Amino acid sequence: MNTFIALTGQAIVLGAIYALVALGYTLVYGVLRLINFAHSEIWMWGSFAAVWVLTAVGASRGQGPVAIIGLLLLALVAAMLTSAAVALLVERVAYRRLRRVNAPPLIALISAIGASFCLGEIMGLRDKIVGWVGLRDTLDAYVRGARDNTRFPNPLQSSPLFHIGTYGVTNIDVIIVISALVMMVVLDQFIRRSRLGRGIRAVAQDSEAAALMGVNKDRVIQVTFLLGGIMAGGAALMYLMKIGVTRWNAGFIIGLKAFTAAVLGGIGNVRGALVGGFVLGLAENYGSALIGTQWKDVVAFVLLVAILLFRPTGLLGESLGRSRA
C-alpha cells in the first residue's frame, strides 16, 4: 500500500509537468491543425534560461524564504519569457510563410522538425558559437560542457511537509502541483472568457468564418504560440526543481511524453491536456512498478499507440473550437 501511495504521489507531480508542456501541443493543434514538434525545444530553451539567470545572480541554498521566493520567481519569469520568445520565433520562421502560401500540412510538419533540430543543435553547440565571436572565456559558466548535463542551482532544499503512509510529500511536490493547476485554470479561463480567447476558439472552429467576422487570424496564431511558450517556460522551471538538471536534448523524451499526454486527453482540448498528463504519469509509474523501471518510457509510447488505435480523439475528445464559454 505504501508503494502504491508513493507511486501515485510521484506520478501526480510528473503528470502536472507533462500537462503544462502538453498545452503547447494542444493549443497549436487546436488552431492550426498542425503538430508543433519544435515545442519540446521551446521548453528546453526555457529550462536553460532558468539555469542561466540563477547562475548569473549567484543563487545557492541556505538563503531566507524571501530570497528563495524571489529567486524562483526570477527563474520563472526568465523561463517563461525565453520560451515565449522562442515560440514566437518558431511561428515567424517555420510557419508563417508556409501558412501564407497555403503549403500542405506535410511541409509544415517537416519545417517544424527542422526547427526542432536547429534549436537543439544551437544549444548543444553554444560553446563553439560564442567562441566564434571571442566570448568563450567570458561566458564560460554558461557554455561549459555544452553537450553534458547542466545543473540547476535550486535555492530551495527539498524537505517533507507531511506524510501519506510512509511517502513524504515534499515542499517541491506541493509547489509543482499547485502551480501547474493554477496556470492551467488561468489559461482555461483566459481562453473561455477573454476576447483573445474567444478569437482563438473562433479560429480553431472555422478560420475563414472567423476572418469574415473580423478576427485577426495572424494575431490569434501569435497569441497561441505565445501562450504555449509561457506554459512551457513554467513547466521548465518545475522540471528543474524536481529533476535538477537539463541538457541540450532534454526536450526529446519529455516532448514525446507531453505529446502522448495531449493525444491521450484529446489533442486540441485544453482540459484534455490536464487529464492526459495525470493519466500518463500514473500509467508510467504503475507500469514501471509492474515490469521494471527500465520500461517506463516504453509504457508511455505503448499507451500512445493504443490510444491512436482505439480512441484517436482521446479521452475527452472535445476540440478547442467547440469548448463552451
Side-chain angles (χ1 to χ4, degrees):
M1 186 62 184
N2 286 328
T3 303
F4 173 78
I5 293 172
L7 289 171
T8 304
Q10 294 164 7
I12 290 173
V13 175
L14 284 177
I17 297 172
Y18 292 156
L20 281 180
V21 183
L23 286 171
Y25 290 102
T26 214
L27 283 171
V28 171
Y29 181 84
V31 172
L32 292 178
R33 290 294 184 269
L34 293 173
I35 305 298
N36 178 20
F37 279 111
H39 188 66
S40 53
E41 275 59 51
I42 291 170
W43 169 88
M44 179 271 293
W45 274 78
S47 71
F48 272 95
V51 171
W52 290 340
V53 75
L54 290 197
T55 301
V57 299
S60 62
R61 289 186 176 165
Q63 303 182 65
V66 175
I68 292 173
I69 294 171
L71 288 169
L72 290 178
L73 287 176
L74 179 64
L76 179 66
V77 171
M80 285 182 163
L81 290 178
T82 301
S83 290
V86 175
L88 289 175
L89 180 67
V90 168
E91 187 277 330
R92 179 69 180 84
V93 174
Y95 286 113
R96 189 177 299 178
R97 172 66 180 164
L98 297 177
R99 195 171 67 248
R100 288 180 177 172
V101 299
N102 200 25
L106 180 61
I107 302 299
L109 181 66
I110 294 170
S111 179
I113 294 172
S116 172
F117 277 106
C118 286
L119 290 171
E121 288 299 326
I122 288 171
M123 185 59 74
L125 296 171
R126 64 187 186 280
D127 54 343
K128 293 182 173 52
I129 293 172
V130 299
W132 294 337
V133 293
L135 295 175
R136 177 68 178 79
D137 294 334
T138 305
L139 300 176
D140 181 68
Y142 307 98
V143 301
R144 185 191 314 130
R147 294 270 173 179
D148 301 329
N149 287 340
T150 300
R151 189 183 68 83
F152 176 59
N154 191 353
L156 180 62
Q157 176 72 43
S158 176
S159 59
L161 288 181
F162 57 91
H163 287 79
I164 302 176
T166 59
Y167 177 67
V169 179
T170 69
N171 48 358
I172 289 179
D173 293 341
V174 172
I175 290 173
I176 289 174
V177 173
I178 292 178
S179 301
L181 289 174
V182 168
M183 289 173 65
M184 283 183 274
V185 168
V186 169
L187 177 65
D188 184 70
Q189 292 304 306
F190 175 82
I191 289 175
R192 288 170 184 278
R193 301 185 186 283
S194 72
R195 183 175 181 181
L196 275 174
R198 287 193 292 272
I200 291 173
R201 288 161 42 210
V203 172
Q205 191 168 30
D206 189 330
S207 60
E208 293 184 2
L212 291 173
M213 296 296 291
V215 176
N216 186 330
K217 183 179 175 181
D218 284 340
R219 187 183 178 200
V220 164
I221 291 172
Q222 289 171 4
V223 170
T224 302
F225 274 82
L226 181 71
L227 291 174
I230 289 172
M231 294 294 130
L237 176 62
M238 292 170 200
Y239 175 89
L240 289 170
M241 291 176 68
K242 185 65 180 176
I243 306 300
V245 296
T246 185
R247 56 184 290 127
W248 66 279
N249 60 355
F252 179 72
I253 290 295
I254 197 170
L256 283 177
K257 291 185 178 179
F259 176 66
T260 302
V263 173
L264 185 59
I267 193 163
N269 186 321
V270 172
R271 294 180 180 179
L274 173 64
V275 173
F278 286 128
V279 171
L280 177 62
L282 291 169
E284 265 191 353
N285 273 19
Y286 293 158
S288 62
L290 290 174
I291 60 177
T293 54
Q294 68 272 29
W295 294 93
K296 185 174 183 179
D297 294 338
V298 176
V299 171
F301 301 134
V302 168
L303 188 60
L304 173 62
V305 172
I307 286 292
L308 289 173
L309 285 175
F310 299 107
R311 191 172 171 79
T313 58
L315 296 175
L316 301 189
E318 185 181 18
S319 73
L320 186 66
R322 293 196 293 272
S323 297
R324 294 176 181 173

